[in-house]
Amino acid sequence: MRPLLMERARRKWGSKITVKKLCELQIAEKCCVVGTLFKSMQLQPSILREISEEHNLPPQPPRTKYVHQLDELILEDELQRIKLEGAIQIDKLVTGTILAVYGSEREDGKFLVEDYCCADMPTQLPMMGPSTDRFVLLVSGLGLGGKSGESLLGMQLLVDMVTGQLGAEGEQSSAALISRVILAGNLLSQNTQSRDTMNKAKYLTKKTQAASVEAVKLLDEILLQLCMSVPIDVMPGEFDPTNYTLPQQPLHRCMFPLSSPYSTLQLVTNPYQAIIDGVRFLGTSGQNISDIFKYSSMSDYLEILEWTLRIGHISPTAPDTLGCYPFYKTDPFIFTDCPHIYFCGNAPFFRSKVVKGEDGQKVLLVTLPDFSTSQTACLINLRDLTCQPVTFSAFGANEEEEEEGAMDTGP
């Protein structure tokens, strides 16, 4: 990304600026440096710190945020590293961010930042979308195997809507325009992990069945109903039976004996990129966004989603605080082409926003809520990139509400 950042820097600060490496810095000389950030955090969990006999510290309680006012930013390149101070947002930026900083080195060995810039959006191919209404349904966090029966009822309402068995004739004709369904991770509930069995004796668990077995069978039956009507892409998530590190590999077809014979079932990776009816989709199951949420002051998932697009990297915190395969020569998480729709799953709320780049890029950002708790999916029109949430309300706690599927227009 160095050539791209050098081009961005010259565009922002003028073509005559000097771009140097850290080993070439001179005191009080104004220049530009390109490197990778490392954020030294006071509250970041460390197993070495917890087991250290010298400190004898109790285990840290789990936190939602690990940001502290004493955190420091360090810029490093291939040869050297230097501490950053000045006009830079320490609480917002995270480890792994690649950027260009403009300023000068002080006598105390620190770099005084006057301004900085990121890679921004890459080039975008023109959208060749359909001329008539065609929809893609995005769903995240089915949470099968959980203890909530309401989510199962909402799930069946969703299946009935997609297969055209729900609603009046007008709603059924709209459901016929759905060209693809994307399930964005966490198909199984966290309750199916059964981590307590690891601490039990083998003779106590010899005749017990893993909680995920019945959940996968239920998922197979749901996929069977969907595959008979529409193509469906299945992404794995944090609690699904696949590898933990990113990029997560597709779920194995042998787990779905009922639905796997259908060619409409496509088991895909996480992150996932596809071109659907001329529109480029890119999305994750949400691990990258939730990890940045912990180590940054940004609290809005939609803001974090836009920020990853601006810095040109899907998951900057991997492999520091997020599990990642150790790629050596290339980084598959770098944006090479700008998508038209960029989404993340398992967010707290549904939100959407259209952002534009300096070179005319236009991207629809979507955060998908957990379906098991919100009963909300997202319907995107490929003709004009408008999106709306689809909420399925089941029986309320007082059982006064009737079973219905309600469609609301999003912001």
Side-chain angles (χ1 to χ4, degrees):
M1 294 181 67
R2 176 181 288 273
L4 176 61
L5 278 164
M6 291 172 60
E7 177 189 348
R8 297 287 184 187
R10 290 192 170 97
R11 183 188 302 182
K12 183 174 184 178
W13 301 313
S15 58
K16 296 183 179 180
I17 64 167
T18 305
V19 181
K20 289 190 173 185
K21 293 190 176 182
L22 292 178
C23 60
E24 302 170 345
L25 292 180
Q26 300 292 329
I27 295 177
E29 181 185 6
K30 295 288 183 67
C31 63
C32 172
V33 181
V34 178
T36 305
L37 284 183
F38 171 74
K39 189 172 184 178
S40 177
M41 306 188 68
Q42 300 289 326
L43 301 178
Q44 181 174 341
S46 172
I47 186 63
L48 297 178
R49 187 185 307 164
E50 290 178 5
I51 65 176
S52 173
E53 295 181 357
E54 298 177 0
H55 296 85
N56 197 20
L57 297 174
Q60 296 184 25
R63 299 171 177 264
T64 56
K65 291 277 192 181
Y66 294 96
V67 181
H68 193 270
Q69 59 183 0
L70 297 179
D71 293 344
E72 297 177 334
L73 285 181
I74 299 171
L75 187 74
E76 54 185 31
D77 60 6
E78 299 89 342
L79 301 173
Q80 200 171 327
R81 60 189 339 203
I82 191 170
K83 189 177 295 184
L84 300 181
E85 289 186 352
I88 190 166
Q89 298 172 294
I90 298 178
D91 55 346
K92 179 179 179 179
L93 299 173
V94 295
T95 295
T97 307
I98 305 172
L99 44 70
V101 295
Y102 180 73
S104 58
E105 184 182 8
R106 299 190 310 193
E107 293 184 355
D108 59 359
K110 299 178 181 179
F111 193 89
L112 182 62
V113 179
E114 297 182 8
D115 198 2
Y116 69 95
C117 71
C118 300
D120 207 10
M121 298 184 191
T123 56
Q124 186 180 54
L125 298 176
M127 190 179 75
M128 308 295 291
S131 56
T132 58
D133 289 342
R134 301 290 292 176
F135 296 96
V136 169
L137 184 68
L138 299 177
V139 190
S140 176
L142 299 184
L144 301 177
K147 299 180 181 179
S148 173
E150 184 178 352
S151 62
L152 292 178
L153 182 54
M155 183 70 239
Q156 191 58 50
L157 290 172
L158 172 67
V159 172
D160 291 343
M161 186 203 77
V162 174
T163 55
Q165 303 177 48
L166 184 70
E169 183 177 352
E171 295 174 344
Q172 292 178 351
S173 61
S174 299
L177 299 176
I178 298 177
S179 60
R180 186 79 61 95
V181 175
I182 299 178
L183 301 182
N186 281 4
L187 310 169
L188 272 58
S189 170
Q190 187 177 4
N191 298 330
T192 62
Q193 297 294 294
S194 301
R195 298 187 183 276
D196 56 336
T197 59
M198 301 291 292
N199 302 323
K200 294 181 179 180
K202 286 189 176 181
Y203 72 90
L204 293 175
T205 60
K206 184 169 60 175
K207 295 184 179 181
T208 59
Q209 190 179 58
S212 59
V213 174
E214 289 299 325
V216 171
K217 288 182 180 179
L218 180 59
L219 175 61
D220 191 18
E221 295 173 358
I222 292 173
L223 293 179
L224 175 63
Q225 298 179 61
L226 293 173
C227 289
M228 296 171 65
S229 301
V230 64
I232 179 169
D233 298 339
V234 182
M235 298 169 55
E238 181 181 1
F239 307 129
D240 297 328
T242 184
N243 61 302
Y244 178 77
T245 57
L246 294 180
Q248 289 183 297
Q249 297 307 296
L251 300 171
H252 203 284
R253 301 188 74 88
C254 69
M255 292 189 290
F256 310 109
L258 300 178
S259 56
S260 59
Y262 287 84
S263 60
T264 50
L265 175 67
Q266 186 176 2
L267 303 173
V268 299
T269 61
N270 171 39
Y272 173 51
Q273 180 173 260
I275 298 178
I276 303 174
D277 291 336
V279 180
R280 183 181 293 273
F281 279 74
L282 176 64
T284 70
S285 296
Q287 294 102 311
N288 59 327
I289 306 299
S290 62
D291 193 65
I292 295 174
F293 174 85
K294 296 177 185 177
Y295 299 99
S296 170
S297 61
M298 293 182 289
S299 57
D300 184 4
Y301 273 52
L302 194 67
E303 179 187 1
I304 300 174
L305 194 67
E306 179 183 357
W307 182 77
T308 58
L309 185 64
R310 298 287 186 185
I311 66 171
H313 201 282
I314 297 176
S315 183
T317 55
D320 181 45
T321 54
L322 184 64
C324 170
Y325 183 82
F327 293 99
Y328 179 67
K329 294 185 177 180
T330 59
D331 188 349
F333 300 124
I334 294 176
F335 283 92
T336 54
D337 296 313
C338 189
H340 300 114
I341 297 174
Y342 182 33
F343 66 90
C344 83
N346 302 290
F349 310 102
F350 167 82
R351 292 194 63 190
S352 64
K353 176 183 179 182
V354 175
V355 296
K356 297 182 180 180
E358 295 181 356
D359 300 326
Q361 303 97 323
K362 182 180 178 182
V363 183
L364 172 64
L365 305 178
V366 183
T367 59
L368 305 172
D370 193 322
F371 187 84
S372 62
T373 57
S374 66
Q375 281 79 54
T376 300
C378 173
L379 204 59
I380 298 179
N381 192 335
L382 300 181
R383 179 177 59 86
D384 53 5
L385 295 189
T386 57
C387 71
Q388 58 185 6
V390 184
T391 303
F392 300 88
S393 57
F395 291 105
N398 54 6
E399 298 187 0
E400 292 180 359
E401 297 178 359
E402 296 184 356
E403 175 184 336
E404 62 179 0
M407 182 176 294
D408 304 323
T409 303

